[in-house]
Amino acid sequence: MISAPGKQEQLRLVGWLRWRLFVNSLRTQRGKIDLISRIILSVGIVVVVLVVGPLLGAGSWYAISHGKSIILSTEIWFVFLIWLLLPLVITGFGAESDPASLLRFPLRYSTFVLLAFAHGIFDPVAVAALYWLLAMLAGIAVASLGALLWAIPGLAALALFNLLLNRAIFAWLSRWMAQRRTREILGALFILVMFSFQLIGPLTGRYGNHALPMVTCLAPAGQLLPPGMAASAITTGHAGRAGRASAELMGLLVYSGVLGLLLSIRLQAEYRGENLSEARRETSAGRSTVRAGWNVAGFSPTVAALFEKDLRYLIRNSTAYLNLLAPPLILIVMGLGNGGSHAKVPVFMRATSFFFPLSVVYVMLILVGLAYNNLGYDGSGLPMLLVAPIRFRDVLVAKNLLHTLVVLAEVLAVSVLGRFLVGPTPPVVVWVTLAGALFILLTNLAAGNLVSLYFPRKLNFGQMKRQQASGLAVAASMGTQVLLAGLVAGTYFLSRWAGNLAWCGVALLVLAGAAWMAYRRVLDLASGIAWKRREVLVTELTRTG
Amino acid sequence: MTDLAVETNGLCRRFGELEAVRNVNLRVEAGQFFGFLGPNGAGKSTTIKMLTGLLEPTAGSIRILGLDLVGNPVDVKCQIGVVPEGLALFDRLTGPEYLTFAGRMYGLDRVTAADRAQELLDFMGLADRAKSLIVDYSHGMKKKLAMAAAVIHGPKVLFLDEPFEGVDAIAAGTLKAMLNRMIARGATIFLTSHVLEIVERLCSHVAIIHRGDLVAQGSIDELRSGVSARRGDGQKLSLEQIFLDIVGGERAAVPELSWLE
């Protein structure tokens, strides 16, 4: 009879597993490129984290030595919010790697709990936050060694609370993320939160003065929350009010205790083998008559069917809403930020001549990038398109048609918004802008179709994290935008020099004509390319994990 | 001369150094229920991918119903139905949406596609889940839907990669009934499966691929006679025994695991 390995051995084995998974991920070119890009990105983040540490330390020193408790409180709230929110943003409201997958082995409950905590402690954001708390502790020690008596338990209790909060959030998130419907609701919520952050600045600018008394009223309530309690325990303890400081430390521990209880309920459920199914409850109300598919005027039945499929995919993809809603919402944000008054619109946007073209450029920049991986969401369905007796150009035509309609709708939306924000745009500007937009769109569709066939990458629904196209596709997209910016700017300045802006529109229309021919040529080649590259397409787009 | 539904000559496929399929010459006559067998990694899926146009052969030719696949891919695809390895479903569509989409991809008009989709959903027992997205279907339901999509245009040749894997007995019964009906109407079915009992019950002819080589081909009775004659024991062999004999599964004694009592 064998017995389960000890806790240390189990933890060592899990550590080895993670290490091997990492090493093996470097076997592929893609894994190596991902690691290099992560290292490059991390350098900047590490520098920021390292610089913020001494700043927080200096702030704490100043707060304790000059009796400015508000500074200490602000710093603690800052660390708390970063530790709380950044992991959620980084994982895109998604569940992290699942220790429950190890439950098939004789894993002890204590090991299971330790693994859950290890995830929290070795999270880069937690490491940064702990470093900041240590820097604050150093600042407090320099200001007054006596204050350490309260700062050490205060900040330690806060760190414990944050760790438990982080674990509890992810434990509950993984429960919700296990089911598609709740996963998509959370995805939508994530988008809403992201936009809400965008609105904070403009709304503060517009309503800040009216809201200030209300916020001031609520400020004392902040002291009843863990970050406020930690700050207050340190400052009141340092001021000699040991009774109140002790009570606040106890309060922090009570918060941690409640969280610990909630977390243990979740972890025990997971440990017992709770296995949430993807499927929703079966209902008999689902029966209905099959309706005939759509017709799209001017296009073949094949393109119509593909267009219908792509539109349904778009509607059912909460992640795509982020791209679709961004342009008009950002313009609304800018409008709000300037009090909604025409006179207060920023200088570069104030002139009626500039608002519309800049808005359209913004729309194009956000949306044309999607054309460079336009098979990404087809995923495991792609082989069906390859075994069906269709020309692959029809697949691309349907996607391009949908893309064009989305761009048109967005351009229409921003033009209506512009009418309200800055007034009517001069006709010559509309003419030049639309001609330029046509040129940019056609060129990007042509380039995007080629890049999508040569560098495809699977995209997952409802997932916000790491959803970019392949590195080469991104580089191709950026290169095309730089080239287009040069061409459009050159055309614009030449026509300005010639003294007639309308000629710019004509020139851009000629360029659009050339882009149309290039687009048609790409479509003619598309079926042959897809047939030649079908193996790569299937491998990349049906990849799991 | 009989009509061949599937014919390959010198079919090869290399993946770098690995020769996954080597000089395969398949002959499947029209109207046959044909089982394509082999151990794991023998080259079954690679072969079926090449036959359906999902993978380019390194060498050799493929003719489906007399048409060269490379020269006439669209014409060939019109005649065949495929349930590939990963099922190839668009899982953010509902079952009816996917079936009407598949029908239209094969050239059916809107109304015919919708009518057949309804009939297939009823036949497969999926009509009650018409409003669910495919991503919410169970594995068996997905298999049935993929099968429905593969036959919606009435193909003359049906390629099925492991159609009964992960399917319960009830669903398997439905699928088998449909396949037998197709055979009765003159269609050709080419399937791969690990479940030899099902192949023995359904298929009239089989081919066995082993380490990339086609090592046997013919009717089950022909293979049985060949193996029986070689063994000289006159015993009526099951397909499993024939298979093991051909791929060498019985040559080496199965070793004991020292720690299992």
Coordinates of all heavy atoms in Angstrom, one line a residue, chain B residues 18-21 38-46 194 209-212:
Chain B
L18 N 9.7 12.6 -40.8 CA 8.8 11.5 -40.6 C 8.0 11.2 -41.9 O 7.3 12.1 -42.5 CB 7.8 11.8 -39.5 CG 6.7 10.8 -39.3 CD1 7.2 9.6 -38.6 CD2 5.6 11.5 -38.4
E19 N 7.9 10.0 -42.4 CA 7.1 9.6 -43.5 C 5.8 9.0 -42.9 O 5.8 7.8 -42.6 CB 7.9 8.6 -44.4 CG 7.3 8.6 -45.8 CD 8.3 8.0 -46.8 OE1 9.2 7.3 -46.4 OE2 8.0 8.1 -48.0
A20 N 4.8 9.8 -42.8 CA 3.6 9.4 -42.1 C 2.8 8.4 -43.0 O 2.1 7.5 -42.4 CB 2.7 10.6 -41.7
V21 N 2.8 8.7 -44.3 CA 2.0 7.8 -45.2 C 3.0 7.5 -46.4 O 3.5 8.4 -47.0 CB 0.7 8.5 -45.7 CG1 0.1 7.6 -46.8 CG2 -0.2 8.7 -44.5
G38 N -6.1 1.0 -38.3 CA -4.7 1.1 -38.0 C -4.5 1.4 -36.6 O -5.3 2.0 -36.0
P39 N -3.3 1.1 -36.1 CA -3.0 1.4 -34.7 C -2.9 3.0 -34.6 O -2.8 3.7 -35.6 CB -1.7 0.7 -34.4 CG -1.4 -0.2 -35.5 CD -2.2 0.3 -36.7
N40 N -2.7 3.5 -33.3 CA -2.5 4.9 -33.1 C -1.2 5.3 -33.9 O -0.2 4.6 -33.8 CB -2.3 5.2 -31.7 CG -3.6 5.0 -30.9 OD1 -4.7 5.2 -31.4 ND2 -3.5 4.6 -29.6
G41 N -1.4 6.5 -34.6 CA -0.2 7.0 -35.2 C 0.2 6.3 -36.5 O 1.3 6.5 -37.0
A42 N -0.7 5.4 -37.0 CA -0.4 4.6 -38.2 C -0.5 5.5 -39.5 O 0.1 5.1 -40.5 CB -1.3 3.4 -38.3
G43 N -1.3 6.5 -39.5 CA -1.4 7.4 -40.7 C -2.9 7.4 -41.1 O -3.1 7.9 -42.3
K44 N -3.8 7.0 -40.3 CA -5.2 7.0 -40.7 C -5.7 8.4 -41.0 O -6.3 8.8 -42.0 CB -6.1 6.4 -39.7 CG -5.8 4.9 -39.4 CD -6.9 4.3 -38.4 CE -7.0 5.0 -37.1 NZ -5.8 4.8 -36.2
S45 N -5.6 9.3 -39.9 CA -6.1 10.6 -40.0 C -5.4 11.4 -41.1 O -6.0 12.2 -41.8 CB -6.0 11.4 -38.7 OG -6.9 10.8 -37.8
T46 N -4.1 11.2 -41.3 CA -3.3 11.9 -42.3 C -3.9 11.5 -43.7 O -4.1 12.4 -44.6 CB -1.8 11.5 -42.2 OG1 -1.3 11.8 -40.9 CG2 -1.0 12.2 -43.3
H194 N -11.4 3.0 -34.2 CA -10.7 2.1 -33.3 C -11.5 1.0 -32.8 O -11.0 0.0 -32.3 CB -10.1 2.9 -32.1 CG -8.9 3.7 -32.4 ND1 -8.9 5.1 -32.4 CD2 -7.7 3.3 -32.8 CE1 -7.7 5.5 -32.8 NE2 -7.0 4.5 -33.0
I209 N -3.7 0.2 -42.3 CA -2.5 0.9 -42.5 C -1.7 0.7 -41.2 O -2.2 0.8 -40.1 CB -2.8 2.4 -42.8 CG1 -1.5 3.1 -43.2 CG2 -3.5 3.1 -41.7 CD1 -1.7 4.5 -43.8
H210 N -0.4 0.5 -41.4 CA 0.5 0.3 -40.2 C 1.8 1.0 -40.5 O 2.5 0.7 -41.5 CB 0.7 -1.2 -40.0 CG 1.5 -1.6 -38.8 ND1 1.3 -1.0 -37.6 CD2 2.5 -2.5 -38.6 CE1 2.1 -1.5 -36.7 NE2 2.9 -2.4 -37.3
R211 N 2.2 1.9 -39.6 CA 3.4 2.7 -39.7 C 3.5 3.3 -41.1 O 4.6 3.3 -41.7 CB 4.6 1.8 -39.4 CG 4.7 1.4 -38.0 CD 5.9 0.5 -37.7 NE 5.8 0.1 -36.3 CZ 6.4 -1.0 -35.9 NH1 7.1 -1.8 -36.7 NH2 6.3 -1.4 -34.6
G212 N 2.4 3.8 -41.6 CA 2.4 4.5 -42.9 C 2.3 3.7 -44.1 O 2.1 4.2 -45.2

